Amino acid sequence: DAGVIQSPRHEVTEMGQEVTLRCKPISGHNSLFWYRQTMMRGLELLIYFNNNVPIDDSGMPEDRFSAKMPNASFSTLKIQPSEPRDSAVYFCASRTGTGDEKLFFGSGTQLSVL
Amino acid sequence: KNEVEQSPQNLTAQEGEFITINCSYSVGISALHWLQQHPGGGIVSLFMLSSGKKKHGRLIATINIQEKHSSLHITASHPRDSAVYICAVGRGAQKLVFGQGTRLTINP
């Protein structure tokens, strides 16, 4: 299995631009998570999906952030408009089941908003 | 006070030394995870445990539910063990709360 696949690996954009991050979970995993990592705050959960349905988006910082999972093999995290404070590494992770199973992380997207 | 506290924040040791990283939490949990983040940034899940002890190669993780404490041990440490080790606790449903991480450097 190729693992969790994220794209792009790096994204540099200007303030005000729309940014779309993409994630392909491991086949057969039915839970998907988006995390953000910064030096100041460490890893934070933004949103997670079970069976393609958003369950908890309380970690999404504000309305500029949105996430979708149109099918079991694809999810997007969109920031519109982007701001410099959105600069961070964004990780996608997936796992089987809906309990406390092990998480599998993608390689992350390093986002820089200038 | 953070819900998940790790210690030490930074640890430097010589190759071969026995390493212990601690994690204390202040809330009830369903499970505790140990993650390893490589210098390149990738994150790997090392252990998920809710009681007792687990071992994988030179890595051992223990948890004491009553004391709300977990430890990650590395025996015969090696420079390739250099990474950031992150403790995360699961609190119901699927939400994880993360510690700030322990940066481990093993010198040859």
Side-chain angles (χ1 to χ4, degrees), chain B residues 12-98:
Chain B
T12 300
Q14 291 299 120
E15 183 175 356
E17 288 188 34
F18 180 80
I19 302 299
T20 296
I21 299 171
N22 297 299
C23 175
S24 296
Y25 51 92
S26 58
V27 296
I29 67 169
S30 51
L32 184 142
H33 300 249
W34 281 103
L35 311 174
Q36 179 192 52
Q37 186 164 26
H38 302 293
I43 299 176
V44 174
S45 178
L46 298 175
F47 296 103
M48 190 279 292
L49 66 166
S50 54
S51 65
K53 179 169 75 172
K54 288 191 176 180
K55 184 175 188 292
H56 186 262
R58 295 179 295 104
L59 302 177
I60 303 166
T62 64
I63 187 168
N64 185 317
I65 297 294
Q66 287 73 30
E67 294 186 3
K68 293 186 167 62
H69 181 268
S70 175
S71 293
L72 177 68
H73 305 285
I74 304 174
T75 61
S77 59
H78 190 276
R80 64 175 175 267
D81 298 326
S82 298
V84 175
Y85 293 84
I86 302 169
C87 169
V89 299
R91 297 185 56 205
Q94 301 194 59
K95 299 186 76 165
L96 289 182
V97 178
F98 296 87

